[in-house]
Amino acid sequence: MTSRMRLAVSVLGLAAVFAALPGVATAAPSTSARTPASAYPDIIPLPAGFRPEGIAIGRAPFAYFGSLANGAIYRASLATGQGAVISPSPGAGQQAVGLKLDDRGRLFVAGGGGGNARVVDARSGAVLATYQFSTTTPTFINDVVLTPGAAWFTDSQQPALYRLPLGRRGALPGPTGFVRVPLVGEWAQIAGNNANGISRTPDGRALLVVQSATGFLFRVDPATGVATRVNLGAETLLTNGDGLLLRGRTLFVVQNRLNRIAVISLNRAGTAGTVAAHLTSPNFDVPTTVAAYRGRLYLPNARFTTPPTPETTYTAVSVPLP
């Protein structure tokens, strides 16, 4: 084989690799790669009536959104704003709330009022696994975070987290292979929405959970479920706290009905922090969750103060990272 032929085969091999990656089309990556994120649109239109809540972004410039209306998953290009539903509704009464995307191209989806969660192939939209965490009502599986060995889900109506252990090479457990971890210690379940957004601590040894009804941020020991309030100094409450995003030792907390993001500087253990700033945008309309890509934050507008109809319009908004 000549060197020219070997080069051609190598190029074709790379194209095949790109084609296999979730959310990456072989015809478009070069254009997206050349476009700086600062030139991406600030507002991404979502389908009318979609009722977005969760967002996930991986290494490629694509965002995934879950629907409170019917559980569908929508994928949009951050570079163009264009998108399509990649995973249709899994059935009547189903929801898609918080989302996280792993390095294997799988979306971990919190199922809201169904008390369940599912794992979806981000390229094909196929449902890879489903887990029924709770049959006790009320229940609302709200958000999810990925750690090296598990996916952790919150329940806004039950004082517990759910751990979905991941096996070798990320293998998914069977339908009953999850663990319910009761929230104890300083956690007190009250009326309203309780455990909502979830993240890891900067040192990776514990979890951070915001309790929407109180505005308290808790550090949770994953082995015991013992919750301890995070010392936030002068600003003790994160009113309307929703989605969380950790970058280094900075925690971004979406405060949905306040139309802002609290920026918290944490210590490594996540036991204490200081609210350093608040971010907002005139384009916010009750944002709920947040993901980052190339120096920008992306948030879906859930528009909870607007009565939902099949014709109600929805968007996602981008703001620069501070």
Side-chain angles (χ1 to χ4, degrees):
M1 182 182 294
T2 68
S3 60
R4 182 173 298 179
M5 292 175 65
R6 282 195 294 268
L7 178 60
V9 171
S10 298
V11 171
L12 289 172
L14 284 173
V17 171
F18 277 120
L21 290 174
V24 178
T26 55
S30 59
T31 301
S32 297
R34 290 194 303 265
T35 305
S38 58
Y40 289 177
D42 293 335
I43 298 176
I44 297 174
L46 301 176
F50 189 76
R51 295 180 61 197
E53 212 281 356
I55 183 173
I57 301 175
R59 296 178 181 176
F62 294 89
Y64 299 83
F65 301 91
S67 171
L68 282 174
N70 61 15
I73 305 295
Y74 182 86
R75 181 177 65 198
S77 166
L78 301 180
T80 66
Q82 298 177 346
V85 171
I86 63 158
S87 187
S89 170
Q94 297 300 305
Q95 296 179 304
V97 196
L99 312 174
K100 287 296 183 294
L101 179 68
D102 74 2
D103 290 338
R104 293 175 172 82
R106 302 177 301 186
L107 283 165
F108 291 75
V109 184
N116 55 31
R118 62 188 184 274
V119 184
V120 175
D121 186 305
R123 181 171 178 82
S124 69
V127 177
L128 304 176
T130 301
Y131 302 94
Q132 188 64 47
F133 291 148
S134 176
T135 56
T136 301
T137 56
T139 181
F140 193 87
I141 309 304
N142 200 327
D143 210 350
V144 54
V145 67
L146 300 177
T147 67
W152 288 85
F153 294 80
T154 59
D155 188 333
S156 293
Q157 297 298 317
Q158 298 290 328
L161 303 178
Y162 300 92
R163 180 171 67 89
L164 188 67
L166 303 177
R168 186 178 180 185
R169 297 180 181 176
L172 298 171
T176 61
F178 57 86
V179 180
R180 186 180 189 271
V181 180
L183 289 169
V184 294
E186 295 182 3
W187 187 272
Q189 193 83 357
I190 66 173
N193 286 326
N194 286 269
N196 196 329
I198 184 169
S199 174
R200 299 174 72 192
T201 55
D203 63 8
R205 295 182 179 180
L207 302 168
L208 295 169
V209 177
V210 66
Q211 186 178 27
S212 295
T214 62
F216 297 154
L217 181 68
F218 289 89
R219 182 186 187 273
V220 179
D221 184 330
T224 64
V226 172
T228 307
R229 273 186 62 183
V230 177
N231 182 355
L232 296 179
E235 188 160 350
T236 58
L237 300 182
L238 297 168
T239 307
N240 295 317
D242 204 324
L244 306 183
L245 173 67
L246 182 71
R247 289 175 63 90
R249 286 170 52 180
T250 300
L251 182 69
F252 297 92
V253 182
V254 183
Q255 296 180 277
N256 52 38
R257 293 175 188 263
L258 299 185
N259 287 310
R260 71 183 190 186
I261 308 166
V263 183
I264 302 175
S265 178
L266 292 169
N267 62 11
R268 284 185 54 79
T271 58
T274 301
V275 178
H278 292 98
L279 307 179
T280 189
S281 165
N283 296 321
F284 284 170
D285 193 349
V286 194
T288 45
T289 50
V290 58
Y293 186 80
R294 287 191 186 177
R296 297 189 71 83
L297 298 174
Y298 290 84
L299 304 91
N301 278 323
R303 306 195 71 190
F304 288 153
T305 57
T306 300
T309 72
E311 292 75 37
T312 302
T313 58
Y314 293 95
T315 60
V317 176
S318 168
V319 294
L321 273 164

